[in-house]
Amino acid sequence: MDSFEKNLEKLEKLTSDIKRSDISLEDALKDFEEGIKLASGMEKQLNEIEGKVQILMNEPNPMTKENPPQTELFSENSEVNGTRK
């Protein structure tokens, strides 16, 4: 799966290509179709991200200054299966 950023770069390139005065109608249509497919996929990615953000925002104890994220799971000294890493 391509990253959102890469897809955005591709979409921007397709958009600038379509605006060229020397592009053929056939090539412009091909670029337009590819751009529509990319935009549709990107919209799905954004919807997934938005859903994740909504879940995080609606947690019973959202992250705040008083409730910072728990990072001990990711520290070098954390225990894994009862043993120190």
Side-chain angles (χ1 to χ4, degrees):
M1 177 186 200
D2 284 338
S3 73
F4 187 85
E5 291 80 10
K6 282 186 178 185
N7 285 337
L8 184 58
E9 286 177 19
K10 288 179 190 177
L11 188 58
E12 288 172 345
K13 174 144 180 23
L14 290 169
T15 301
S16 68
D17 287 348
I18 289 172
K19 292 178 182 179
R20 287 189 355 240
S21 61
D22 64 336
I23 192 170
S24 70
L25 183 58
E26 184 178 303
D27 287 341
L29 181 58
K30 184 179 77 170
D31 287 352
F32 181 75
E33 287 176 321
E34 186 178 346
I36 292 295
K37 288 177 187 176
L38 272 174
S40 176
M42 292 168 69
E43 183 178 21
K44 288 177 186 176
Q45 285 179 307
L46 285 174
N47 287 337
E48 289 174 12
I49 292 168
E50 183 180 11
K52 289 177 183 179
V53 168
Q54 288 298 324
I55 289 169
L56 291 172
M57 295 298 292
N58 292 321
E59 283 186 354
N61 293 319
M63 289 184 286
T64 62
K65 199 176 217 179
E66 294 77 30
N67 182 33
Q70 303 299 312
T71 58
E72 13 337 297
L73 293 174
F74 306 107
S75 69
E76 289 183 32
N77 295 324
S78 64
E79 288 188 21
V80 178
N81 296 329
T83 59
R84 288 226 177 256
K85 217 178 153 185

